[in-house]
Amino acid sequence: MAALEQNSDGSCNDLVNSNKNCTNSLSEEIRKQADEVKDKANTYFKNEQYNEAINFYTQAIELNPYNAPYYGNRSFAYLRTECFGYALEDASKALDLDRNYIKAYYRRASANMALGKFKLALKDFEAVVKVKPNDKDARAKYNECAKIVRMMAFQKAISSSDSESVVEKLDLENMVIEDDYNGPALENNKVTEKFVTELLDTFKNQKKLHRKFAYQILIQAKEYFSKQLTLVDIDVPKDSKFTICGDIHGQFYDLLNIFELNGLPSKDNPYLFNGDFVDRGSFSVECILSLLSLKLLYPQHFYMSRGNHESITMNQMYGFDGEVKSKYTSQMCDLFTEVFNWIPLAHCINKKIMVCHGGLFSDPAVTLDDIRKVDRNRQPPESGIMCELLWSDPQIVPGTAPSKRGVGVQFGPDVTENFLKVNNLDYIIRSHEVKDAGYEIMHNGKCITVFSAPNYCDTMKNKGAFITIKGGDLTPKYTSYEAVPHPNVKPMAYASSLFGLF
């Protein structure tokens, strides 16, 4: 490696090599001050106050930018707040400063896994194994990641050679309903109000829906969604109420609380759920089957937008894949994927409000018609309209910037204003981010975030919220609520064993 050079003022020209000389250029007082700030950050991290931890790690880095563990610690905090792009940058920076800092390899591997880049993650695990060949934990993580890479390659090979739907492989006619099953049943293969009422009660009591009925719901939902456009137009009559909910993330008992507070969905009480129905929360199966049943019962009064977690990679890491396999079958996982691929990406209410899960675009010329034309029957790509609808986030400053998540973009108030002007809209509603009050208003009131999973992952202490509007003036009203108790099943109970890295 090249020798590290220092300018006369003590600054460094080359940070690829050891940071020893640069560190020595700092006074003992500054290094001590930086460590004290880092200790404060660690305390906030231990108390699961990750945003505060990030602020103090940043202060420590500003005082001493040559300390690899500072970046490694902040990377870990970014992982906890799902800022995977920032986590990746910090882990790489830590390794630039110290190639022997093992934790940074784990952090970078974690960020890459969260972004679905398992081959890159595998390289970092391999690097750790080479340095610590006798470390059983490192070897286990390497083997687990290698297994996922092989499985993904196999799935890709299968999908390219076998385009047959799961639906065509099912033999529902001969699927036996056991004599001792006393749960809800479809009537003439149709979802009814009675069925939905019994289903919600069954799930509330931690009982299962029979797999035959679950399969039938999925098949019918896929058929319905496949006939919809990528962007669905909704007409809300002048004096009618309409409710928009954000992320639910498998928190079934909080979903029931929304219905308790705001009434069950019906023709007179329509809803739109804006993505991320599953993952993290360990009652994701109950959430998604309930929502799909409501969609089939009230197809013109109950709407669902796809979120970034309605995808294979997210489901493999964050628990939904494992939960479906535990409660039903791996074949049902594949059918869920087919259903998710067809869920619309956006909705437009009364030609004035666009609702999507993530946000806006790097291309300022995108129109609603462009969204309508998107071929959504696929896994989310890493760029383009579909990717940005699912992954983007608003920012305070004007313009666009690389996403803190590593996918999509961050977009400023000018981007929102331009999109609304181009498409003759009043404002946008999106979800995708935890907010303390369950909602946040940005960009001069033109970009609203709603997040409906309170005390997210049983750790974030945030409120959940939903938005109601009237068809006449479309003025948003916000209802916030606390989390309710749930059975003693922890979030991420079905997640990949690699998730311990996060």
Side-chain angles (χ1 to χ4, degrees), residues 227-243:
K227 295 175 182 176
Q228 292 194 291
L229 295 175
T230 296
L231 184 148
V232 175
D233 289 288
I234 301 173
D235 179 41
V236 180
K238 182 178 178 180
D239 296 322
S240 296
K241 182 183 82 169
F242 189 87
T243 302

Side-chain angles (χ1 to χ4, degrees), residues 1 15-20 61 64-76 86-109 124:
M1 292 184 177
L15 287 178
V16 175
N17 202 349
S18 166
N19 64 325
K20 180 178 179 180
I61 287 169
N64 181 1
Y66 314 117
N67 187 301
Y70 293 176
Y71 292 94
N73 290 353
R74 189 171 70 174
S75 177
F76 202 4
Y86 289 173
L88 193 63
E89 289 180 10
D90 271 357
S92 294
K93 178 66 174 178
L95 288 170
D96 284 343
L97 292 169
D98 184 358
R99 288 288 173 185
N100 295 317
Y101 180 44
I102 296 298
K103 288 183 178 179
Y105 289 101
Y106 283 121
R107 305 289 181 260
R108 192 164 69 179
D124 280 331

Side-chain angles (χ1 to χ4, degrees), residues 16 73 76 142 158 195 220 270 276 310 314 346 366 368 386 401 409 418 422 425 431:
V16 175
N73 290 353
F76 202 4
Y142 171 80
I158 291 294
F195 173 84
Q220 292 175 33
D276 282 11
E310 278 68 64
M314 294 292 105
V366 171
L368 297 181
M386 181 175 178
V409 297
N418 175 73
V422 167
L425 298 170
S431 302

Side-chain angles (χ1 to χ4, degrees), residues 359-469:
L360 298 182
F361 314 99
S362 51
D363 180 354
V366 171
T367 66
L368 297 181
D369 280 339
D370 292 327
I371 298 172
R372 289 186 178 97
K373 295 172 185 175
V374 170
D375 178 9
R376 70 184 186 279
N377 182 23
R378 57 183 298 193
Q379 289 302 292
E382 294 188 8
S383 61
I385 291 175
M386 181 175 178
C387 168
E388 290 166 350
L389 281 168
L390 297 176
W391 279 95
S392 291
D393 297 289
Q395 63 181 13
I396 297 173
V397 298
T400 60
S403 172
K404 61 188 178 183
R405 300 176 188 270
V407 187
V409 297
Q410 292 178 204
F411 59 95
D414 56 327
V415 176
T416 298
E417 190 65 39
N418 175 73
F419 179 78
L420 297 177
K421 183 178 179 181
V422 167
N423 293 283
N424 193 29
L425 298 170
D426 289 349
Y427 60 93
I428 66 170
I429 296 175
R430 41 89 61 183
S431 302
H432 196 39
E433 289 183 286
V434 182
K435 300 298 177 184
D436 287 344
Y439 69 93
E440 184 177 64
I441 305 167
M442 293 181 66
H443 298 178
N444 301 311
K446 303 297 185 181
C447 178
I448 300 169
T449 298
V450 59
F451 190 87
S452 301
N455 195 25
Y456 182 43
C457 294
D458 286 357
T459 61
M460 299 300 286
K461 302 177 178 61
N462 61 292
K463 292 181 179 180
F466 55 81
I467 297 172
T468 54
I469 59 171

